[in-house]
Amino acid sequence: MEKSFELSGKIGIIVVKGSVDALTAPHLATFISEQIAAGHTRLVADLAGVDYTSSAGLRVLLGAVKETRALGGDLRLANIQPDVKKVLDLSGFTSILKHYADRDSAIGSYGG
Amino acid sequence: MPNKKIALVIGSGGIKCAAAIGLVKVLQEEYLPIDLIVGCSGGSMYASLIAAAVSAEDMQARTLYLWTNEVMKDYTSNLKATQDGSVRFNERSGLVDDSVMNERLRTTFDGLTFENLAIPLKLVATDLQTGEKVLLDKGPLMDAVRASLAIPIIFPPWEIDGQLLVDGAAVDPLPVDVAIQEGADIIIAMGFMLSNRGRMRSMTAVQQQLNNIYMNNILKSTYAFYNLAHHAEIFPILPDFEEPLGMFDTDKLPDIIARGEAAARAELPHIQRLLAG
């Protein structure tokens, strides 16, 4: 799994590639927490390159959503691939997380 | 993740559960060791056969033997009789005369008990009168499978140890929690959403559609909770079915098995990577 961070105005973009499972999820959790600790609480996770997420990956996403929302921000998802969408749907995540077809829409959802 | 306990869970889904035959083909080819199997409803039948080390070909043959229209003996006449009041319904009733199904289940699971299986097995049923989940892991498999797949109203409940048991799907359609409770580290969970109907031409069809909506929501909500509340790694295997399947669409069995196999193959690299890591 690869992860990187970039800024689009005041919105932090977390770009993830590869598979998120029990082996890689702890690294992603730490990485996201570091961005939040650095003051980036309005986040978009661009999942275009994520071909798979297991239950461990879901827990990381939910943890990040809780953490950012507690600070007045949010974590929103963009570019969810079909296999990942299926897991997110089954586990009810698409009901509680805001998700968008592409990165620009997710960034735009935060408004000005 | 060496020495991790791997559990296989096969959820409810009627004839779709035969996709488990495709799944087990893949697991056997890859020599993936399974330490525990959990089944519910239609999934109980395949969970049991896998636990008994029955071959994929034999499972297919037993499916064809078991699931024919004859197991619905007297369904239509009993339905009419309950509607015109000539037959009264109670907690022990079902619309089907279950004698054919019981005989076929006896033949299918002849001599098999939980105690003589190759892999430990747990099946889920529902206590019709208390609504509680009941775990079955002792005695003859025939009794446990019969209880676990007793679709309420259609099949009469099955009594075990004084409890009137019906379909486990009413409480736990994909019993991942049982595997977690048993200490599984890695859970391979094959689940099935029930198909929606576009057109409904009778009261029972509307009732069936409502039932499907309830069941699908129970599946989603329990799965979401188990995913988040525990640290076991859950690999969901969800075969795609483009069209709704009837209860006895056994002519589609090769396709159902192929879809199960394809879904399992798609998940396999992720499972293997975790095991190697």
Side-chain angles (χ1 to χ4, degrees):
Chain A
M1 183 202 68
E2 292 170 34
K3 57 205 181 305
S4 59
F5 180 79
E6 55 194 82
L7 276 172
S8 172
K10 290 181 178 174
I11 310 301
I13 314 295
I14 291 167
V15 183
V16 191
K17 290 179 182 169
S19 297
V20 188
D21 59 20
L23 299 174
T24 57
H27 303 294
L28 181 61
T30 304
F31 183 72
I32 296 175
S33 288
E34 285 169 357
Q35 309 315 320
I36 297 169
H40 305 296
T41 56
R42 298 209 293 177
L43 297 174
V44 168
D46 188 336
L47 305 180
V50 175
D51 57 1
Y52 176 77
T53 181
S54 73
S55 45
L58 298 181
R59 288 191 286 266
V60 169
L61 290 177
L62 192 68
V65 169
K66 281 184 184 172
E67 213 175 330
T68 50
R69 286 183 184 171
L71 296 167
D74 201 4
L75 173 76
R76 299 181 181 174
L77 308 181
N79 287 316
I80 306 170
Q81 298 306 296
D83 284 350
V84 173
K85 174 86 168 24
K86 207 162 149 181
V87 176
L88 292 176
D89 282 341
L90 178 67
S91 48
F93 270 61
T94 44
S95 303
I96 55 174
L97 271 69
K98 290 184 177 171
H99 55 98
Y100 301 88
D102 52 59
R103 190 194 288 199
D104 287 345
S105 307
I107 293 168
S109 72
Y110 280 106
Chain B
M1 291 178 85
N3 304 319
K4 293 294 180 187
K5 186 171 180 176
I6 304 178
L8 176 62
V9 179
I10 305 173
S12 64
I15 190 69
K16 289 179 186 172
C17 298
I21 299 174
L23 166 65
V24 83
K25 273 186 189 177
V26 175
L27 297 180
Q28 284 170 353
E29 272 173 30
E30 301 297 327
Y31 299 105
L32 259 177
I34 300 298
D35 301 296
L36 170 72
I37 306 184
V38 184
C40 176
S41 193
S44 285
M45 183 178 147
Y46 297 98
S48 300
L49 295 173
I50 296 166
V54 170
S55 70
E57 292 71 24
D58 195 358
M59 275 193 250
Q60 196 167 343
R62 292 188 200 207
T63 304
L64 291 171
Y65 165 71
L66 192 59
W67 288 119
T68 66
N69 283 325
E70 285 79 25
V71 301
M72 296 297 281
K73 189 177 175 203
D74 295 346
Y75 172 80
T76 308
S77 57
N78 283 336
L79 179 61
K80 283 180 185 158
T82 53
Q83 284 168 344
D84 68 22
S86 57
V87 167
R88 298 188 68 176
F89 220 77
N90 64 31
E91 72 279 3
R92 291 179 183 272
S93 305
L95 291 171
V96 165
D97 172 344
D98 61 347
S99 57
V100 175
M101 181 165 78
N102 294 343
E103 186 51 39
R104 290 186 182 180
L105 285 172
R106 271 189 201 97
T107 306
T108 302
F109 295 100
D110 185 35
L112 290 175
T113 67
F114 282 96
E115 290 77 11
N116 64 14
L117 295 172
I119 304 170
L121 170 73
K122 291 188 181 288
L123 301 181
V124 174
T126 304
D127 184 320
L128 178 62
Q129 290 165 308
T130 66
E132 295 293 323
K133 177 171 70 184
V134 177
L135 266 187
L136 302 167
D137 56 7
K138 287 190 285 289
L141 282 193
M142 181 272 167
D143 287 314
V145 174
R146 170 66 179 80
S148 184
L149 53 71
I151 303 169
I153 299 174
I154 295 177
F155 298 115
W158 195 250
E159 188 169 340
I160 297 179
D161 294 337
Q163 288 177 294
L164 276 183
L165 302 180
V166 293
D167 198 337
V171 284
D172 207 0
L174 186 58
V176 166
D177 57 326
V178 177
I180 293 171
Q181 204 169 42
E182 292 297 314
D185 302 296
I186 295 173
I187 300 168
I188 301 169
M190 180 171 255
F192 308 93
M193 300 294 280
L194 298 174
S195 306
N196 289 309
R197 293 162 182 246
R199 298 201 63 182
M200 293 157 247
R201 294 186 173 85
S202 67
M203 193 177 75
T204 50
V206 175
Q207 207 165 26
Q208 184 64 50
Q209 169 68 2
L210 277 174
N211 185 57
N212 290 357
I213 293 169
Y214 296 147
M215 299 298 282
N216 285 340
N217 279 301
I218 293 172
L219 174 64
K220 282 186 182 178
S221 53
T222 53
Y223 183 80
F225 174 70
Y226 303 148
N227 243 301
L228 295 174
H230 295 276
H231 288 277
E233 187 74 322
I234 305 169
F235 292 94
I237 299 190
L238 313 166
D240 282 320
F241 293 94
E242 284 152 16
E243 294 170 10
L245 290 171
M247 202 169 167
F248 301 105
D249 281 347
T250 48
D251 57 314
K252 296 184 179 127
L253 206 52
D255 180 58
I256 295 169
I257 296 170
R259 286 173 189 273
E261 189 175 336
R265 284 204 192 286
E267 203 70 17
L268 188 64
H270 308 300
I271 300 170
Q272 284 175 324
R273 198 183 50 229
L274 188 65
L275 287 170

